[in-house]
Amino acid sequence: DAGVIQSPRHEVTEMGQEVTLRCKPISGHDYLFWYRQTMMRGLELLIYFNNNVPIDDSGMPEDRFSAKMPNASFSTLKIQPSEPRDSAVYFCASRQQGLGNQPQHFGDGTRLSIL
Amino acid sequence: KNQVEQSPQSLIILEGKNCTLQCNYTVSPFSNLRWYKQDTGRGPVSLTIMTFSENTKSNGRYTATLDADTKQSSLHITASQLSDSASYICVVSGQAGTALIFGKGTTLSVSS
């Protein structure tokens, strides 16, 4: 049973470059979440989608960040232009909609380093 | 302001010993509280969920408690193993439609 798949696992790039992070949620899950994790701030929700529609993007730090979900099996988080303070681990998670309290299933993250 | 505070920030114990991690929250109204385990280099994995009416829930050697009156939860680990070394994150959910509130986690190191 495949879990949430994120790519790449590691990304190192220079300041000013465009960065694209990718996520494939678990099949059949209706919700998709993007998080950022740092030592100082812990896990922070950036944006989440329900049935491919962005519901809440209030956590997106700046206009340099954008996210899309063109279909139920794929989402991207883009940073353009990237800055050193964007360095963090970015997680994607998905969840089933339904009765009861369904857990979020996380991918293993993309470790992003902006030089 | 909705907040989740975890303590201690880090903890080192010997293999075989027990330990208890704490989570205090100010989220209101409250829906549920979940404990996640995050291994180094991996994403968080759900250990257990507590709703308002539940006081205790176990998952193997992990036992979570909830006191909704004092807004406190604990995660007790019995007979710790090296594989328990991880970060443990407390996450509180408010009413439907509101965002999850994450604690910053407790880093547990189990040594032999």
Side-chain angles (χ1 to χ4, degrees), chain A residues 25-56:
Chain A
I26 294 173
S27 177
H29 282 195
D30 305 280
Y31 286 87
L32 183 139
F33 306 81
W34 281 101
Y35 292 91
R36 178 172 66 178
Q37 186 178 43
T38 61
M39 290 291 291
M40 288 294 293
R41 303 170 71 96
L43 271 166
E44 300 174 282
L45 177 65
L46 300 177
I47 184 172
Y48 78 92
F49 296 82
N50 180 213
N51 292 322
N52 312 339
V53 177
I55 303 300
D56 184 355

Side-chain angles (χ1 to χ4, degrees), chain B residues 46-60:
Chain B
S46 178
L47 286 175
T48 185
I49 181 172
M50 308 285 290
T51 58
F52 185 87
S53 60
E54 295 173 310
N55 299 119
T56 303
K57 184 174 284 188
S58 293
N59 177 3

Side-chain angles (χ1 to χ4, degrees), chain A residues 9 37 40 101 104 107-108, chain B residues 34 38 41-42 100 104:
Chain A
R9 287 298 313 275
Q37 186 178 43
M40 288 294 293
N101 299 303
Q104 292 187 23
D108 284 336
Chain B
R34 193 182 295 274
Q38 184 177 18
R42 306 297 298 274
L100 300 179
K104 292 184 179 179

Side-chain angles (χ1 to χ4, degrees), chain B residues 13-20 37 59-63 75-85 88 108 110-111:
Chain B
I13 61 173
L14 289 175
E15 186 179 14
K17 298 296 186 181
N18 303 335
C19 67
T20 300
K37 178 188 179 189
N59 177 3
R61 294 180 296 103
Y62 299 100
T63 299
L75 181 68
H76 186 76
I77 304 175
T78 304
S80 61
Q81 299 177 359
L82 297 179
S83 59
D84 293 330
S85 296
Y88 293 84
L108 173 65
V110 180
S111 60

Side-chain angles (χ1 to χ4, degrees), chain A:
Chain A
D1 185 19
V4 175
I5 300 172
Q6 292 187 245
S7 64
R9 287 298 313 275
H10 304 273
E11 176 85 16
V12 181
T13 191
E14 292 187 345
M15 180 175 66
Q17 297 298 308
E18 177 179 294
V19 174
T20 300
L21 311 181
R22 297 173 176 79
C23 175
K24 176 179 170 56
I26 294 173
S27 177
H29 282 195
D30 305 280
Y31 286 87
L32 183 139
F33 306 81
W34 281 101
Y35 292 91
R36 178 172 66 178
Q37 186 178 43
T38 61
M39 290 291 291
M40 288 294 293
R41 303 170 71 96
L43 271 166
E44 300 174 282
L45 177 65
L46 300 177
I47 184 172
Y48 78 92
F49 296 82
N50 180 213
N51 292 322
N52 312 339
V53 177
I55 303 300
D56 184 355
D57 65 354
S58 60
M60 297 285 262
E62 299 172 35
D63 291 345
R64 299 183 296 106
F65 287 70
S66 63
K68 294 182 179 180
M69 192 166 185
N71 57 63
S73 60
F74 183 67
S75 177
T76 60
L77 178 67
K78 188 173 294 187
I79 308 173
Q80 166 64 20
S82 58
E83 298 183 4
R85 57 196 170 113
D86 301 331
S87 297
V89 182
Y90 291 81
F91 287 101
C92 175
S94 68
R95 178 173 72 85
Q96 265 184 320
Q97 180 170 336
L99 296 177
N101 299 303
Q102 302 297 325
Q104 292 187 23
H105 296 262
F106 286 78
D108 284 336
T110 294
R111 183 172 294 275
L112 177 63
S113 297
I114 308 297
L115 306 177

Side-chain angles (χ1 to χ4, degrees), chain B residues 1 3-6 17 37 52 65-66 91 98 104:
Chain B
K1 181 180 177 182
Q3 286 186 314
V4 174
E5 300 286 343
Q6 292 187 243
K17 298 296 186 181
K37 178 188 179 189
F52 185 87
T65 66
L66 174 66
V91 185
T98 60
K104 292 184 179 179

